[in-house]
Amino acid sequence: KPIMTTQTYKVTGMHCGGCKRNVERIANNYGKDSQVDVEKWTLTMSSDSQIDIQGLKADLAEMDFILQA
């Protein structure tokens, strides 16, 4: 059975609840249970496989969010 891991990343460019929802929606394509803290500029997500960080970075960048990983 795969092991679930949780990672936290810094994401800049978020300002509001709409930003939070957009980042969580994108992140959920790459992992599970994505949670964003707009005030701390963090994205926490879980996955039972390796997260495609480059793909996640690219998808977030299309909406002007910068993932720092």
Side-chain angles (χ1 to χ4, degrees):
K1 181 177 177 178
I3 297 172
M4 187 72 70
T5 59
T6 301
Q7 296 286 331
T8 300
Y9 305 98
K10 183 157 189 151
V11 178
T12 58
M14 300 184 294
H15 305 287
C16 64
C19 295
K20 175 183 184 328
R21 286 187 296 277
N22 283 330
V23 171
E24 287 176 343
R25 179 180 51 79
I26 292 167
N28 280 328
N29 292 327
Y30 293 89
K32 299 177 173 84
D33 304 323
S34 298
Q35 297 179 349
V36 168
D37 185 323
V38 174
E39 292 178 6
K40 293 181 181 175
W41 285 3
T42 58
L43 162 63
T44 302
M45 56 193 298
S46 300
S47 180
D48 56 7
S49 61
Q50 177 124 4
I51 295 170
D52 175 10
I53 294 299
Q54 295 308 316
L56 178 57
K57 274 185 179 184
D59 284 353
L60 289 172
E62 286 183 15
M63 299 194 71
D64 296 323
F65 302 118
I66 307 301
L67 177 75
Q68 298 176 0

